[in-house]
Amino acid sequence: MIDKISTLDPILLALMATLFTWGVTALGAALVFFFKQINAKVLNTMLGFASGVMIAASFWSLLAPSIEMAEGLGYIPWLVAAIGFMAGGLFLLATDKLLPHLHMNHDTRDAEGIKTSWQRSVLLVLAITLHNIPEGLAVGVAFGAAASGASTATVGSAIALAIGIGLQNFPEGAAVSIPLRREGFSRWKAFVYGQASGIVEPVAGVLGALLVTVMQPILPFALAFAAGAMIYVVVEELIPEAQSAKDTSHSDLATMGAMIGFCIMMILDVALG
């Protein structure tokens, strides 16, 4: 099955994979049709799970292939990985400072980025949208890397990455739509806003795949860049949100969720890659 998939164009594969991850975001957002609020323990566990998935994916699916490809191209492997990784984090830091957005459970006065009069709902959606950019980029770059023929960058590992990103997108969709419902939005409007946060993933995925297939020499940097951007999201947003509850049992659940997410992503990558 994977052998047949491997014959398809990597840009098409990136588009299909990121449409899947966007679809899972929509499934998470659809929880708003059944719940008006989500239990804090459940949400923190899911956010912890998302953190674990992204940390594992950053190494197994992105950094490890980056180092191997850099070595194969005659670059200094550790230098390429370090430069790309830090560039990814700095890119997200700059975007974080510029793009108006609001994290969950924060007052509108705590909105980050350029000051604006945009509604709270728009700022909440933009916060999740910001995090979905590196996820879509990572999937696209992974499929582009698979087309290069490197042994550690296979279509199987790219599929594993897409599945992992999809799994962690589920709580993110719910984390947007359900709070909007609590603020008085209709179920349908809250769903539309929630799933809209994932629309950037197909765009970023296609751009990532296109970029690395056209410019092969930058592929190791691009993989490390995506890893750095994902780790920035985990440390800046997901872990703090998962550990923010005053009840210490919530933090324990978030920690175990991260352990489970890391383990599942590792299994997916090793089994499929």
Side-chain angles (χ1 to χ4, degrees), residues 67-233:
I67 292 169
E68 188 212 15
M69 288 179 190
E71 191 171 14
L73 290 170
Y75 302 152
I76 302 173
W78 61 265
L79 183 61
V80 169
I83 291 174
F85 185 84
M86 291 305 300
L90 289 171
F91 171 77
L92 259 290
L93 175 62
T95 307
D96 205 42
K97 297 296 183 184
L98 294 174
L99 182 69
H101 62 283
L102 180 67
H103 297 305
M104 290 183 294
N105 303 318
H106 285 254
D107 188 87
T108 308
R109 292 172 296 181
D110 299 325
E112 299 180 26
I114 296 173
K115 297 303 178 184
T116 177
S117 59
W118 291 350
Q119 293 181 346
R120 175 181 173 86
S121 56
V122 175
L123 295 172
L124 285 169
V125 172
L126 285 176
I128 302 298
T129 301
L130 173 62
H131 300 162
N132 285 337
I133 293 173
E135 294 169 11
L137 179 65
V139 173
V141 170
F143 278 104
S148 72
S151 60
T152 56
T154 65
V155 169
S157 64
I159 291 173
L161 176 61
I163 293 172
I165 295 295
L167 288 175
Q168 65 91 40
N169 274 358
F170 187 83
E172 287 188 355
V176 177
S177 63
I178 292 177
L180 292 179
R181 174 62 179 157
R182 285 204 309 268
E183 293 187 15
F185 280 62
S186 68
R187 285 188 171 89
W188 178 250
K189 190 173 182 179
F191 166 75
V192 170
Y193 272 73
Q195 63 81 34
S197 64
I199 197 171
V200 295
E201 291 197 1
V203 177
V206 169
L207 287 176
L210 178 62
L211 181 64
V212 298
T213 52
V214 172
M215 303 174 65
Q216 287 284 336
I218 71 163
L219 183 50
F221 294 96
L223 286 164
F225 181 94
M230 287 177 63
I231 291 297
Y232 181 93
V233 169

Side-chain angles (χ1 to χ4, degrees), residues 39-61:
N39 184 277
K41 290 184 178 181
V42 174
L43 179 60
N44 288 345
T45 303
M46 290 195 298
L47 290 174
F49 176 86
S51 302
V53 167
M54 292 181 71
I55 292 170
S58 295
F59 175 74
W60 295 98
S61 299

Side-chain angles (χ1 to χ4, degrees), residues 228-241:
M230 287 177 63
I231 291 297
Y232 181 93
V233 169
V234 171
V235 178
E236 166 71 10
E237 172 64 12
L238 293 180
I239 290 177
E241 288 292 345

Side-chain angles (χ1 to χ4, degrees), residues 15-39:
L15 175 62
M16 294 168 60
T18 48
L19 285 174
F20 161 75
T21 59
W22 179 19
V24 180
T25 302
L27 283 177
L31 289 179
V32 75
F33 291 112
F34 306 97
F35 306 100
K36 192 170 183 178
Q37 60 183 11
I38 186 168
N39 184 277

